[in-house]
Amino acid sequence: MAPPTRIGLAGLAVMGQNLALNIAEKGFPISVYNRTTSKVDETVERAKQEGDLPVFGFHDPESFVQSIQKPRVIIMLVKAGAPVDQTIKTLSAYMEKGDCIIDGGNEWYKNTERREKEMSGLSLLYLGMGVSGGEEGARHGPSLMPGGSFEAYKYIEDILLKVAAQVPDSGPCVTYIGKGGSGNFVKMVHNGIEYGDMQLIAEAYDVLKSVGKLSNEELQSVFSEWNRGELLSFLTEITADIFVIRDDRGEGYLVDKVLDKTGMKGTGKWTVQQAADLSVAAPTIAASLDSRFLSGLKEERVEAAKVFKSGGLGDILTDQTVDKAKLIDDVRQALYASKICSYAQGMNLIRAKSIEKGWDLKLGELARIWKGGCIIRAIFLDRIKKAYDRNPNLASLLVDPEFAKEIIDRQSAWRRVVCLAINSGISTPGMSSSLAYFDTYRRERVPANLVQAQRDYFGAHTYERIDMEGSFHTEWFKIAKHLKD
């Protein structure tokens, strides 16, 4: 009989396969299992081809569980929701007290908390672990966000530290996030920030292409250049790549043939719902979600374009010639300033949840583990980490002295881009809502006094005053009626 393996992994779609091979490559023998057994054989075959890695395949759950050294640790990478519960049921039947299950999927944090309770009833440990980096990250080093049982985390800390992305100067992109569903929650917000980032990049592309008339080669050159400066990031890099990949099924570039309809799995929607539940403004992330909804109305947009074209409204409203170099530089600054707002919203949402749940999450440490492996990895996460190192209680990234100065330096360019887009009839909801967020946050007095007066007028909701303590109600209706008589 073969000696027991160090860890098990159940669920062998591409992410599962790649994570299993990564673990094996780092020197940890791993058992793998999948309900559809052909995937097991496929993974074992890949392990042979990719360096004779110590991956051991099992076709039934019992022998799979039995093959792992005690206390057993099994990572699941299956579709969120009911499939997770089904997999837990299948595996836990053969597990023993002190064994541990880790869910590596994009799960709703409350499901993780429910499962952790259920598992503890069976004397089993449970972790919900966010995994970011896509297929490549899973294979060569993802960013990992484990939350739940600290005891369970300690079981596999040695594996996670080696498997995670390694960043010079700041170490492996993994840390124990906190109790309960905190790992899943942090991954969810990471994905919300990712939605915002992708939307802002798409808007930069739209303005440069539609108003600046940049060709794909010029766009590739611009994004490559940006990727050597403050905007250096995974998403900037892949965007540059996308522009010049030719269509293998026809003429021209592939990106121009891709249907303008964006799909989604739900983490962005969850982020916006959580922001609303916690009364945290997250307009950039919300705008990116709305843009995905509107992109889905392709057929309606085609018809709407006809209606407005016949009424004299073309796709682009102005055909002005712009100074390309100036526009490129303005858009770079607008993109960077908008990104700061998007990350500020995400971090404030994490902090609000951490306070509500008593998770004691360390925002600087989250920025550190996002510096490598994950989809939002970017050079400026190092700056975010330093901002929270300087002041762990920072109210918002916007008021960190360094970020505040950067926004001040870029705000004129930011306004120029948004105005140009509005006058050209191009929607930039991410950049516009980021700018509105900034302008609202930096103003000492906003028109909320009028809204509160209206609430008191029709609903007697009371109001506070700027010049004296207490809660007040005015008979606005009676006074107004008397004035009209």
Side-chain angles (χ1 to χ4, degrees):
M1 192 176 155
T5 57
R6 174 71 175 80
I7 190 168
L9 190 143
L12 297 170
V14 181
M15 283 288 285
Q17 288 190 21
N18 282 4
L19 191 60
L21 294 169
N22 181 354
I23 291 168
E25 194 169 62
K26 298 303 184 295
F28 302 101
I30 184 168
S31 300
V32 295
Y33 166 74
N34 194 76
R35 214 174 48 167
T36 312
T37 55
S38 60
K39 292 281 187 197
V40 176
D41 302 336
E42 194 182 303
T43 310
V44 171
E45 187 49 43
R46 273 189 68 191
K48 278 201 184 77
Q49 286 168 3
E50 294 182 27
D52 225 359
L53 303 173
V55 173
F56 303 88
F58 296 87
H59 286 190
D60 71 286
E62 186 174 8
S63 56
F64 164 66
V65 173
Q66 301 301 342
S67 71
I68 305 160
Q69 75 175 45
K70 298 179 190 177
R72 301 182 185 92
V73 178
I74 297 174
I75 298 173
M76 295 180 294
L77 274 166
V78 297
K79 203 165 168 249
V84 174
D85 290 307
Q86 189 49 55
T87 306
I88 290 172
K89 199 173 163 192
T90 302
L91 299 176
S92 63
Y94 308 107
M95 295 175 81
E96 299 170 62
K97 185 180 176 179
D99 288 353
C100 167
I101 294 179
I102 300 168
D103 176 13
N106 276 332
E107 187 54 275
W108 175 234
Y109 83 99
K110 284 189 176 170
N111 286 344
T112 295
E113 297 191 334
R114 165 178 63 80
R115 289 173 188 137
E116 191 186 1
K117 276 202 185 75
E118 289 167 0
M119 290 294 96
S120 71
L122 300 170
S123 300
L124 298 175
L125 305 179
Y126 196 79
L127 279 174
M129 180 169 72
V131 179
S132 179
E135 297 173 12
E136 278 299 301
R139 181 65 184 84
H140 301 292
S143 174
L144 300 170
M145 297 154 249
S149 160
F150 184 67
E151 190 187 339
Y153 172 73
K154 279 299 184 192
Y155 278 5
I156 54 150
E157 186 178 41
D158 60 329
I159 299 179
L160 300 184
L161 289 173
K162 285 212 170 88
V163 164
Q166 309 290 319
V167 174
D169 312 330
S170 64
C173 293
V174 61
T175 189
Y176 173 69
I177 302 288
K179 297 194 290 282
S182 60
N184 292 116
F185 190 89
V186 165
K187 173 60 166 53
M188 175 198 79
V189 176
H190 161 289
N191 285 23
I193 293 171
E194 182 185 304
Y195 273 52
D197 258 359
M198 293 166 79
Q199 176 64 25
L200 292 169
I201 289 171
E203 292 172 17
Y205 156 65
D206 197 8
V207 171
L208 292 174
K209 183 183 167 80
S210 304
V211 185
K213 306 282 192 286
L214 270 73
S215 67
N216 284 38
E217 290 88 350
E218 288 172 310
L219 287 164
Q220 193 268 343
S221 164
V222 166
F223 276 83
S224 297
E225 179 61 35
W226 287 353
N227 201 46
R228 289 193 279 275
E230 62 195 11
L231 289 168
L232 190 156
S233 66
F234 173 69
L235 286 169
T236 307
E237 180 189 344
I238 69 166
T239 302
D241 292 344
I242 286 168
F243 288 128
V244 290
I245 289 179
R246 293 201 165 270
D247 182 7
D248 56 348
R249 298 182 184 185
E251 293 298 304
Y253 293 107
L254 183 55
V255 68
D256 301 317
K257 310 280 179 69
V258 175
L259 182 67
D260 49 327
K261 254 174 111 162
T262 309
M264 67 197 111
K265 294 278 182 67
T267 43
K269 189 197 296 189
W270 290 347
T271 304
V272 173
Q273 287 169 333
Q274 277 295 296
D277 285 349
L278 291 159
S279 304
V280 172
T284 314
I285 300 169
S288 68
L289 186 66
D290 286 339
S291 294
R292 291 195 184 196
F293 295 153
L294 284 165
S295 80
L297 305 178
K298 176 67 178 178
E299 295 75 15
E300 286 184 42
R301 288 188 288 110
V302 169
E303 292 309 310
K306 288 178 193 164
V307 171
F308 291 104
K309 265 197 188 99
S310 66
L313 269 186
D315 195 43
I316 307 295
L317 301 188
T318 55
D319 206 20
Q320 65 205 78
T321 47
V322 291
D323 177 338
K324 265 192 193 180
K326 179 89 176 93
L327 178 64
I328 290 165
D329 196 53
D330 278 357
V331 172
R332 172 184 61 78
Q333 296 182 63
L335 178 54
Y336 186 76
S338 299
K339 266 176 77 104
I340 295 172
C341 290
S342 187
Y343 281 70
Q345 293 159 31
M347 288 302 196
N348 284 4
L349 175 54
I350 290 171
R351 172 188 287 139
K353 193 69 179 180
S354 177
I355 291 167
E356 181 199 69
K357 303 284 286 184
W359 283 338
D360 192 27
L361 303 183
K362 305 281 186 284
L363 301 181
E365 185 65 352
L366 300 183
R368 181 189 73 76
I369 68 165
W370 288 345
K371 278 170 59 179
C374 72
I375 303 300
I376 65 171
R377 62 184 181 268
I379 191 113
F380 104 133
L381 278 157
D382 196 44
R383 314 267 313 292
I384 293 177
K385 179 188 181 302
K386 285 176 178 152
Y388 287 115
D389 286 348
R390 279 192 290 275
N391 178 6
N393 301 315
L394 189 64
S396 168
L397 283 176
L398 302 185
V399 294
D400 170 72
E402 281 197 20
F403 282 123
K405 182 180 184 313
E406 290 187 333
I407 290 186
I408 292 165
D409 292 346
R410 287 162 181 74
Q411 56 103 28
S412 297
W414 194 6
R415 294 179 200 285
R416 281 195 296 273
V417 171
V418 170
C419 287
L420 177 67
I422 289 168
N423 289 327
S424 306
I426 291 172
S427 58
T428 51
M431 287 185 184
S432 308
S433 56
S434 295
L435 182 56
Y437 177 79
F438 167 65
D439 278 335
T440 305
Y441 191 71
R442 70 174 179 79
R443 289 180 70 203
E444 187 179 337
R445 190 160 167 82
V446 294
N449 52 317
L450 178 60
V451 177
Q452 197 56 22
Q454 290 169 331
R455 293 181 75 241
D456 191 50
Y457 188 129
F458 67 70
H461 291 292
T462 73
Y463 57 90
E464 292 172 277
R465 292 180 58 110
I466 56 174
D467 54 355
M468 56 184 80
E469 290 292 312
S471 189
F472 300 86
H473 170 58
T474 296
E475 296 285 351
W476 306 84
F477 184 73
K478 282 182 186 163
I479 298 167
K481 190 170 183 297
H482 178 65
L483 289 173
K484 286 173 192 165
D485 289 345

